[in-house]
Amino acid sequence: MVLTHDAAREWIARWDRQQEGYLPDREERFTALIDAVEALGRPDPLVVDLGCGPGSLSARLVERLPGATVVPVDADPLLIGLGRAAYPHLRFVSLDLRTPGWAGSLGLDRPADAAVSTTALHWISASDLPKMYAELATVLRPGGLLLNGDHMETDDTAPAIARLERAVHERATERLFADGRPEDWRRWWDAVAADPAFAELNSARATAGADHHGSESPLLSSHVDALRDAGFTEIGCLWQRGDNRLLCAVRG
């Protein structure tokens, strides 16, 4: 069986629903992120989508900003294969952000105006973050942005605030899904594994060892410190709901 365009779009819609089970404000965060890219003032921004998954954010970017060039990057063969089938107008790049030299393999024809990411960079360990952000700085123009939407926790220097941030997120989730939550992460992946159309991509994913669990860098401070060390001069949150944040950093 072949993964068709229509089937890929249906699987990505299903992906989006299961992601919303963890992120009740997901679309609001997408909107804030794309607003920030638009506010750069270029009709044709060059944007790199880090840890793009099946391309949910990249697709929304080009829909809102049709003059943009968006380069989606991920290391998971299955998610990239899904994105390529659903969005043939996007140039997906298969790269592991933890592998030195990844930035030079993007094939950019000019420095990027922004790098964006949603619910992805926490998979990178705190020890690998400084190297990844340092490489990212080499392909961003001066004044270019990193926009990273993710759960990023306040560290133990402010335990009461960290607890309240988690509580705000949990209560928002409970209100939205009072009648039951959507399919979760594991059930989505189990369904993909059972679909014959994904046989080749599942095999490639197993060979690549792309599966991951937990969060390697959940602390806001880990990202802020790594960005500062990489030469980003202004770092702050543009949008926040509990511990769900849109972190922005400006390249010096």
Side-chain angles (χ1 to χ4, degrees):
M1 293 182 65
V2 177
L3 182 63
T4 66
H5 169 80
D6 289 344
R9 294 295 291 265
E10 289 175 5
W11 274 104
I12 291 175
R14 187 169 167 179
W15 165 274
D16 287 343
R17 286 193 297 273
Q18 64 91 0
Q19 287 286 291
E20 288 167 359
Y22 304 96
L23 294 161
D25 306 305
R26 185 171 183 254
E27 291 297 334
E28 185 179 335
R29 193 176 71 184
F30 277 145
T31 298
L33 187 155
I34 299 170
D35 284 346
V37 175
E38 187 174 33
L40 287 170
R42 285 196 65 137
D44 61 343
L46 174 57
V47 183
V48 181
D49 185 358
L50 304 171
C52 64
S56 297
L57 172 58
S58 292
R60 285 165 174 77
L61 269 162
V62 295
E63 183 177 355
R64 270 270 307 274
L65 305 173
T69 298
V70 182
V71 181
V73 180
D74 206 285
D76 191 312
L78 189 144
L79 293 179
I80 283 184
L82 189 55
R84 285 171 174 159
Y87 308 118
H89 58 292
L90 292 173
R91 180 176 68 88
F92 285 81
V93 180
S94 179
L95 289 171
D96 190 330
L97 301 176
R98 298 166 298 183
T99 301
W102 65 267
S105 300
L106 291 172
L108 305 182
D109 58 7
R110 63 178 174 89
D113 299 291
V116 300
S117 186
T118 58
T119 322
L121 299 185
H122 63 266
W123 299 120
I124 298 175
S125 70
S127 61
D128 284 332
L129 276 178
K131 294 175 284 187
M132 189 276 291
Y133 284 138
E135 278 213 41
L136 175 62
T138 68
V139 297
L140 281 175
R141 66 168 173 80
L145 304 182
L146 167 74
L147 296 160
N148 179 19
D150 210 340
H151 286 297
M152 287 175 267
E153 302 171 6
T154 298
D155 63 29
D156 58 11
T157 61
I161 290 176
R163 179 182 60 80
L164 290 169
E165 286 176 347
R166 290 191 296 272
V168 167
H169 169 72
E170 290 165 2
R171 280 157 177 73
T173 304
E174 290 165 2
R175 281 194 298 272
L176 185 61
F177 301 115
D179 296 328
R181 294 199 184 192
E183 177 181 49
D184 64 17
W185 165 273
R186 179 44 52 197
R187 284 171 57 199
W188 188 90
W189 280 107
D190 287 346
V192 164
D195 189 330
F198 287 99
E200 186 175 340
L201 290 172
N202 272 312
S203 177
R205 188 170 194 264
T207 300
D211 204 9
H212 44 228
H213 304 279
S215 183
E216 295 288 329
S217 54
L219 295 179
L220 174 64
S221 58
S222 296
H223 293 264
V224 171
D225 291 346
L227 286 161
R228 188 174 292 116
D229 289 345
F232 289 82
T233 54
E234 297 181 40
I235 305 166
C237 288
L238 293 183
W239 177 95
Q240 180 177 352
R241 187 69 55 82
D243 60 356
N244 179 15
R245 312 171 195 268
L246 176 59
L247 182 66
C248 178
V250 182
R251 183 196 181 283

